[in-house]
Amino acid sequence: MRPVHRFRVAVRHGGFTLLELLVVMVIIGLLAGFVAPRYFAQVGKSQVKVARAQIDALDKALDQFRLDVGRYPTTEEGLQALMTQPSGEANWAGPYLKKGVPPDPWGRPYLYASPGTHGGDFDLQSYGKDGRSGGTGEDADITNW
């Protein structure tokens, strides 16, 4: 005798349903929403740290220039005086940097002025991420004073 009710067993042949794919995409989106802002905040903080380290290295190279030449480079000579000998400077013993004068982490040149206007012999600064004077956070100026 045959059974009255036949149960059909659904056989699945691999793959995912649209609903399963949507759930996975929502989960990935939520994770990215939490992780991405923290990651990019760390990138910004590290760029500020790099700028501070570069200003410190340039500061030391300028001090070495002064020890050799007897003065800091003029504003007109700029930071390039650390790499190429200014005319008429027989005591120049550079180059004072291994790889040249780096741009700031945002790709702009550091601003150099001698004599300094902030109580030092020279001013060295980057305007930060926004490239404008002032600002807060990543946009704040990074200076040697």
Side-chain angles (χ1 to χ4, degrees):
M1 188 171 198
R2 268 171 90 172
V4 179
H5 297 290
R6 256 189 207 187
F7 295 102
R8 290 188 183 190
V9 177
V11 178
R12 205 164 163 189
H13 296 288
F16 297 101
T17 65
L18 180 61
L19 182 61
E20 291 170 331
L21 290 174
L22 288 174
V23 168
V24 169
M25 289 174 57
V26 167
I27 291 170
I28 290 172
L30 288 171
L31 288 173
F34 288 121
V35 173
R38 291 185 181 151
Y39 171 75
F40 288 114
Q42 292 302 317
V43 169
K45 287 179 186 176
S46 65
Q47 287 176 318
V48 170
K49 288 180 183 178
V50 166
R52 289 184 202 280
Q54 286 178 335
I55 284 178
D56 187 52
L58 290 169
D59 194 284
K60 287 177 175 44
L62 287 163
D63 286 341
Q64 187 62 47
F65 179 97
R66 184 186 60 79
L67 287 173
D68 291 343
V69 176
R71 63 172 179 84
Y72 287 106
T74 64
T75 301
E76 293 75 28
E77 291 169 337
L79 296 174
Q80 287 306 316
L82 298 173
M83 296 305 298
T84 57
Q85 183 173 0
S87 61
E89 291 298 340
N91 293 333
W92 188 85
Y96 297 95
L97 298 169
K98 289 182 181 180
K99 296 183 180 181
V101 180
D104 72 9
W106 301 277
R108 292 182 291 275
Y110 285 100
L111 304 171
Y112 172 79
S114 178
T117 59
H118 293 92
D121 293 316
F122 61 89
D123 292 345
L124 187 57
Q125 72 180 41
S126 166
Y127 282 147
K129 183 178 181 181
D130 66 352
R132 289 182 271 156
S133 183
T136 58
E138 294 175 37
D139 295 335
D141 296 349
I142 301 144
T143 65
N144 70 323
W145 60 85

